[in-house]
Amino acid sequence: MKYSIPAFLLLFALFSCIRKECKIPGGYEFDIPATLTPALDTFRVGDTISVSSAFGEMVREVKTDKAYLLENFFFYPATSLLRIDTFPAKNSSLLDFEILIDTTSNYRVNGFSDGTVHLRGQYSYEEGRYFLEYKLIPQRSGLFVLSQACALQSQGENQDFPEKCNNVGSSARVTLNGGADNNVEFLRNSPDPHYSEWILARPEDRFHRGGGYCFYVVE
């Protein structure tokens, strides 16, 4: 009997540590860097806007502030671009831009039945690094908002990685231009309340987390 009590206490302490480690409200949230250049508030028709994202296999998780090994992982980036100086916002505005993507990249234009147009696909992966790059050339003027988002799951999958806690999901946020404001205040100029009111009520969650960038295009 004298041996059972220490063993019980040891097991209790062990499982308590596991439970504490695995309490990650909302699951893992990995931070994906991206860059939009040049970081201007106003472009001219015919200018070139470059968007890129590149990072290694050790990816920082926001809530634990710890890097985890995501080796040969499936990332699902998505780009939306809407003209927001109209009501409602124009969800096919990618068609107002010439889109330049390397033919070897798994990133393509996708259209939907409601008229929405996105760029979707996956990151390229080579020698332990992930990368994505494309260019946009505006063809007409207006006020636009771009979102460079990223998901880690598709159709219910839950990818595994070393040190992952059981039954804890994963998501990703995109930090664009190192966390700059990315002209978020321009959203106030939209007649569509989804942008001028709803997003601005929680800009960190509804704009910055999804790699938001707002800009004007002029003739």
Side-chain angles (χ1 to χ4, degrees):
M1 186 69 183
K2 63 181 179 181
Y3 295 108
S4 62
I5 294 177
F8 171 78
L9 292 176
L10 180 62
L11 288 172
F12 180 80
L14 177 62
F15 284 113
S16 295
C17 288
I18 292 174
R19 285 197 298 270
K20 181 178 180 181
E21 178 187 339
C22 288
K23 288 182 179 178
I24 304 176
Y28 298 100
E29 184 181 11
F30 290 98
D31 191 17
I32 308 300
T35 303
L36 184 149
T37 55
L40 304 176
D41 57 18
T42 303
F43 296 91
R44 292 192 174 275
V45 170
D47 284 350
T48 299
I49 304 168
S50 298
V51 180
S52 62
S53 178
F55 54 95
E57 295 174 324
M58 297 300 295
V59 184
R60 175 180 170 268
E61 197 281 319
V62 175
K63 296 169 186 174
T64 60
D65 195 24
K66 178 181 177 180
Y68 292 85
L69 177 63
L70 305 185
E71 184 179 10
N72 202 17
F73 221 65
F74 289 105
F75 293 92
Y76 298 98
T79 305
S80 64
L81 183 57
L82 293 91
R83 182 177 175 180
I84 61 170
D85 56 359
T86 62
F87 180 79
K90 184 181 177 184
N91 60 6
S92 61
S93 295
L94 266 171
L95 301 179
D96 294 334
F97 290 72
E98 182 182 355
I99 304 168
L100 305 178
I101 308 175
D102 192 304
T103 55
T104 63
S105 172
N106 183 13
Y107 208 51
R108 295 288 180 268
V109 176
N110 282 261
F112 300 87
S113 58
D114 65 353
T116 301
V117 179
H118 288 170
L119 290 173
R120 290 181 179 270
Q122 293 181 0
Y123 278 79
S124 298
Y125 177 74
E126 185 176 334
E127 297 182 351
R129 289 193 63 79
Y130 299 92
F131 54 93
L132 174 71
E133 185 175 15
Y134 61 91
K135 300 180 187 298
L136 302 170
I137 302 175
Q139 305 297 300
R140 63 181 59 189
S141 60
L143 173 61
F144 297 89
V145 61
L146 176 144
S147 174
Q148 183 58 49
C150 183
L152 298 185
Q153 299 181 21
S154 176
Q155 299 179 348
E157 73 177 348
N158 192 5
Q159 300 183 74
D160 200 7
F161 52 88
E163 300 183 71
K164 182 182 183 296
C165 293
N166 292 330
N167 303 316
V168 178
S170 303
S171 64
R173 64 161 294 147
V174 174
T175 299
L176 187 65
N177 292 345
D181 69 9
N182 296 319
N183 306 319
V184 63
E185 70 277 5
F186 287 0
L187 295 176
R188 299 187 186 280
N189 300 331
S190 173
D192 190 331
H194 177 83
Y195 299 93
S196 59
E197 299 176 15
W198 185 79
I199 291 180
L200 287 174
R202 293 173 56 183
E204 182 59 33
D205 292 335
R206 298 169 180 173
F207 181 82
H208 295 296
R209 187 177 182 273
Y213 194 95
C214 200
F215 59 93
Y216 281 95
V217 175
V218 298
E219 295 289 346

